[in-house]
Amino acid sequence: MILGFSARAGLLIASLFVTAGTAAAETVGAETRTPSTVTADAPPHAAVTVDHHAHVHSPAILDFLPKYCGSDGRIGPCPEVFTRAYSPEDLIAEMDAAGVARSLIMSTGYLAESPMMQPPLPEAPRILRAANEWSAALATRYPGRFGIYIGINPVSSSALPEMAHFARDPRVTGIKIHITNSDANLRDPQNVAKLASVFEMAHRTGLAVMIHMRTRAEDYGARDVETFLRDVLPHAGDTPVQIAHAAGWGGIDAPTLSALGAFAAAIEADRGRFANVTFDLAAVWDEDTADDDLEALAALIRRIGPEYFVAASDFPFGGHLADYYAKVYPRLPLTDAEWTTIRTNTPGYDSVDYAKERIRP
């Protein structure tokens, strides 16, 4: 697959979302993870130029949400911000105010096929397709501003057909997988096999993967990551894989730290396996997060390496992007150099050209 970390040195601008003045590449086995260029006079908290995790509901999903939020299958109420009709123009205004040039938009089409919708809607596949098509169109409506990820439920019968439909669509960068919403289970061999087949198809088509991998298991953590690393991730080959919310689902708690700790141990053991993996820092902490939790997360980021992390907001859940990146992000106790690496990290899959260049002749 083109544009894997081992082949995209020219596309990296800042060694994955290292430090100012550390320009040497980090050798990882037979792979080289090449730092991006960061000038010595870069500001301590450089501007985030790419937001790697944002959402805008399509009209099809906005029409669907009242049924979904009122479903008996919901595991909790829908937050008000989740149901709000933000437009692409709203997001662009937020991006401009924060100095963000480009955002990766994660289609919420997968909601239509969520098991939380009870009873299931017969028209769910149509809603899924409409949501993904609308999202894909944003790439041409707003050239250069958005990278588009279609949404799928990886354990549904529509997952592979939906990927096949968009496989050669030059508007589409990748796929968004939401394990919690799909009620997938990394301890169920059948679910794991289906997830592996999705990753295998992503490799064949070049579709980048963004996965919200935390499950509903109360004791989610290291054992689930170990299964993912053994039975799922290898099927992606050199396709880029972005782990959402630093392997959690937003916030910092024991399961999230357990999961990220398992990734840290695996990366320390064999960095070559992770040349195409990044972690986004979308809504992982806020203004109320305890200092001890922030210190624990920062320690894991250092173990893994800040060059493996990318800036992200989970818009609209983090509020105004300018405040989020200027006030909330700096609460994490990293050095200025570490922050520069993360904030300016733009791996190749977030480039304007990736959606076209991933398509094989």
Side-chain angles (χ1 to χ4, degrees), residues 162-300:
E162 194 71 3
M163 292 175 69
H165 179 79
F166 289 97
R168 300 191 65 79
D169 191 326
R171 303 171 299 172
V172 175
T173 292
I175 59 169
K176 160 67 182 290
I177 297 168
H178 198 300
I179 294 294
T180 309
N181 190 271
S182 302
D183 197 18
N185 186 348
L186 288 169
R187 301 171 192 179
D188 179 331
Q190 291 185 334
N191 280 193
V192 171
K194 288 180 179 180
L195 194 58
S197 69
V198 166
F199 273 57
E200 184 176 338
M201 186 163 186
H203 176 55
R204 293 199 307 268
T205 60
L207 287 163
V209 177
M210 200 279 250
I211 180 169
H212 173 133
M213 66 172 288
R214 183 163 177 172
T215 69
R216 295 191 197 176
E218 292 184 3
D219 60 343
Y220 164 83
R223 64 179 287 194
D224 301 290
V225 171
E226 290 163 3
T227 298
F228 175 78
L229 294 180
R230 183 185 64 245
D231 299 332
V232 179
L233 183 61
H235 293 271
D238 57 0
T239 298
V241 176
Q242 178 177 317
I243 312 295
H245 307 296
W249 55 19
I252 304 173
D253 58 10
T256 297
L257 295 174
S258 173
L260 193 60
F263 273 111
I267 291 170
E268 287 171 331
D270 185 359
R271 291 185 178 269
R273 293 177 60 199
F274 297 90
N276 303 294
V277 174
T278 55
F279 302 85
D280 77 45
L281 294 174
V284 183
W285 67 94
D286 59 23
E287 63 276 5
D288 298 320
T289 302
D291 290 344
D292 287 350
D293 288 336
L294 293 171
E295 291 284 357
L297 175 62
L300 286 172

